[in-house]
Amino acid sequence: RRKDYKGAIKFYSEFLAANPDCTNAIVFASLAYAQEALGQTNDALATCEKWVKAMPECPAAFRQRGGVKWKLGDKAGARADFDKVKHLGGRVDAKKPTDEPPAR
């Protein structure tokens, strides 16, 4: 609420370090969101990679990773993630990159 992104990054990073088998989507999503908010896009991608590995059937993990890839210029990788979201029954439009819609 206070937009304390640095504090959120510290909290969620410490939580994941202490709980390496975490499968809580909110933890991964919150960490990646805070990293993106501070322009730490590569760190956000690394967080999303861990999330996808921890929860390979979670559409939200692929949707957020796709959004980060899109921001980093990896359009093909982003589209592959968005296709995976659809395959898993999720909604792609819940997180659209700002410059172009991800759906084909």
Side-chain angles (χ1 to χ4, degrees), residues 6-72:
K6 288 182 183 180
I9 290 169
K10 182 179 185 305
F11 175 80
Y12 289 115
S13 295
E14 289 174 358
F15 182 89
L16 287 173
N19 299 281
D21 296 327
C22 177
T23 57
N24 185 323
I26 293 171
V27 172
F28 288 104
S30 298
L31 177 56
Y33 178 82
Q35 290 166 326
E36 282 188 80
L38 291 181
Q40 300 171 2
T41 315
N42 288 317
D43 291 338
L45 180 60
T47 296
C48 290
E49 296 290 354
K50 291 176 189 173
W51 184 8
V52 165
K53 185 176 179 182
M55 302 175 68
E57 300 300 316
C58 179
F62 289 93
R63 182 176 51 246
Q64 190 153 356
R65 187 175 74 173
V68 173
K69 285 180 177 181
W70 192 274
K71 285 181 182 178
L72 288 170

